[in-house]
């Protein structure tokens, strides 16, 4: 087993470990015999692993210091999501995504803890993208100027079971849940946007490997398939899996998202430096994801009755 500070078994901090990707990262650390530590505002529910939990906010330096104590690496995932939503809260987004990241970087610098940051796969003009990219630039600066081992993973369009179908309106859960309810599938713009859909287990594996590879990769890697699919085709595949009778409802583009965007990554560097390529074909990933939401939908219906 890999040893951490002081000869104890290794600990890995996951900020935002109660979130969608964070939960899978926690589980993967635990499977490797590494003790996961979570810093989050809420308890990480429904995981196959039970992490050491610190309730707290990444904007709070004392909370960050306490959670990071004794850890060998931090995978920093905490932050505010959303393109359209963050247009109404730019200050709060800066405080969480940028200042929160600086708190993590400063404490990692003080404790000499290895850092893995997550970046977005687009360069759109909205507070979410802008703050994530600025935070990443700070991380790379800390690596260059202070010698802190910092790896950035630029995650493309992650999807899979446990992703919340909430006000952030992520593509896959939004379409699946609408189809299960028999409602029109909401597609923004003309649906010709191209996305690189990466199954969440693959994103988590890239993050964990980046955290554990013997020689830290100093720079940015893509968690990506390198292939794109149009939003219209994603909607069609979900219709076929869930409810072919539901129509597609075309809506105006959301604020902070350009029309006809193309988001795609290059998986070659991850294959070369981490020895990994995404394992889950899109059709299989969508099938697993649909089944997870279908089971939850049935359970909810039974409770309602």
């Amino acid at each position: 087993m890999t040893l951490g500070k002081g000869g104890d078994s290794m600990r890995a901090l996951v900020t935002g470990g109660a979130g969608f990707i964070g939960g899978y990262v926690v589980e993967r650390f635990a499977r490797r015999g590494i003790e996961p530590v979570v810093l989050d505002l809420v308890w990480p529910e429904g995981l196959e692993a039970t992490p050491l939990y610190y309730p707290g906010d990444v904007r709070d330096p004392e909370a960050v210091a306490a959670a990071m104590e004794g850890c060998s690496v931090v995978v920093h995932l905490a932050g505010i999501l959303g393109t359209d939503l963050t247009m109404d809260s730019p200050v709060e987004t800066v405080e969480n995504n940028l200042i929160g990241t600086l708190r993590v970087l400063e404490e990692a610098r003080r404790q000499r803890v290895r850092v893995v940051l997550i970046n977005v796969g687009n360069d759109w003009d909205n507070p979410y993208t802008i703050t994530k990219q600025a935070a990443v630039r700070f991380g790379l600066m800390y690596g260059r100027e202070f010698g802190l081992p910092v790896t950035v993973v630029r995650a493309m369009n992650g999807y899979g079971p446990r992703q919340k179908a909430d006000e952030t309106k992520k593509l896959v859960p939004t379409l699946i849940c609408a189809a299960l309810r028999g409602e029109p599938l909401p597609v923004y713009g003309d649906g010709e946007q191209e996305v690189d859909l990466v199954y969440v287990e693959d994103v988590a594996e890239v993050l964990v490997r980046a955290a554990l590879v013997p020689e830290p990769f100093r720079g940015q890697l893509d968690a990506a398939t390198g292939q794109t699919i149009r939003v219209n085709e994603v909607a069609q595949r979900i219709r076929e899996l869930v409810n072919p009778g539901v129509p597609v409802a075309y809506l105006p583009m959301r604020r902070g998202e350009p029309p006809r965007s193309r988001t795609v990554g290059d998986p070659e560097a991850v294959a070369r430096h981490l020895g990994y390529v995404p394992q889950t074909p899109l059709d299989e990933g969508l099938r697993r994801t649909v089944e997870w939401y279908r089971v939850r939908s049935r359970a909810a219906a039974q409770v309602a009755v």
Side-chain angles (χ1 to χ4, degrees):
M1 181 182 295
T2 306
L3 296 183
K5 297 176 181 179
D8 297 325
S9 60
M10 182 176 179
R11 282 185 175 180
L13 173 61
V14 183
T15 70
F20 171 50
I21 295 173
Y24 285 93
V25 171
V26 166
E27 291 173 338
R28 273 178 143 63
F29 276 132
R31 289 175 200 165
R32 285 169 163 83
I34 296 165
E35 182 178 18
V37 180
V38 167
L39 175 65
D40 207 316
L41 293 171
V42 297
W43 170 257
E45 296 181 349
L47 304 185
E48 66 180 35
T50 303
L52 179 61
Y53 172 59
Y54 284 84
D57 192 314
V58 289
R59 294 172 293 180
D60 179 355
E62 293 183 359
V64 173
M68 198 179 295
E69 186 67 35
C71 293
S72 299
V73 64
V74 52
V75 179
H76 177 49
L77 304 175
I80 290 181
L81 302 177
T83 51
D84 180 75
L85 284 176
T86 58
M87 299 293 282
D88 293 322
S89 55
V91 174
E92 183 182 6
T93 305
V94 167
E95 290 172 348
N96 280 272
N97 294 358
L98 186 51
I99 303 303
T101 299
L102 283 168
R103 296 295 189 197
V104 170
L105 289 169
E106 275 293 290
E107 190 58 34
R109 179 187 176 193
R110 188 182 73 82
Q111 294 195 34
R112 303 307 301 170
V113 172
R114 184 167 164 177
V115 179
V116 177
L117 301 178
I118 194 165
N119 195 8
V120 295
N122 63 71
D123 58 357
W124 303 344
D125 287 331
N126 59 70
Y128 173 56
T129 298
I130 292 168
T131 53
K132 293 298 288 185
Q133 290 185 341
V136 161
R137 289 187 65 182
F138 269 111
L140 295 175
M141 184 204 77
Y142 270 69
R144 183 178 61 254
E145 300 296 334
F146 306 135
L148 186 66
V150 177
T151 302
V152 176
V153 173
R154 193 172 73 112
M156 296 300 114
N157 306 87
Y159 74 99
R162 305 203 307 240
Q163 190 171 24
K164 292 180 180 178
D166 55 16
E167 63 272 13
T168 58
K169 292 183 173 60
K170 292 295 184 178
L171 175 63
V172 171
T174 297
L175 296 177
I176 291 174
C177 290
L180 287 169
R181 293 190 299 264
E183 299 173 356
L185 307 191
V187 169
Y188 297 95
D190 62 8
E192 290 301 293
Q193 306 94 317
E194 296 180 61
V195 294
D196 186 341
L197 288 174
V198 191
Y199 194 61
V200 63
E201 295 272 11
D202 290 315
V203 176
E205 183 65 21
V206 172
L207 287 163
V208 170
R209 288 190 179 219
L212 300 179
V213 66
E215 182 60 35
F217 180 85
R218 296 172 182 265
Q220 185 163 261
L221 301 166
D222 287 353
T225 69
Q227 301 176 348
T228 62
I229 181 172
R230 286 180 169 81
V231 170
N232 281 324
E233 187 175 348
V234 177
Q236 179 58 29
R237 293 196 190 189
I238 288 173
R239 289 176 71 240
E240 293 169 357
L241 286 167
V242 181
N243 188 345
V246 296
V248 172
Y250 289 96
L251 305 174
M253 285 300 303
R254 294 185 292 185
R255 297 173 300 170
E257 297 184 16
R260 296 292 179 94
S261 60
R262 185 174 190 268
T263 302
V264 63
D266 183 355
E268 292 302 317
V270 164
R272 186 166 61 253
H273 295 285
L274 305 183
Y276 187 76
V277 294
Q279 304 293 305
T280 313
L282 180 57
D283 286 338
E284 175 63 18
L286 287 176
R287 185 195 64 77
R288 293 181 198 170
T289 307
V290 164
E291 184 56 28
W292 186 85
Y293 284 103
R294 197 192 305 275
V295 169
R296 283 179 59 87
S297 178
R298 289 171 181 164
Q302 290 174 354
V303 170
V305 171

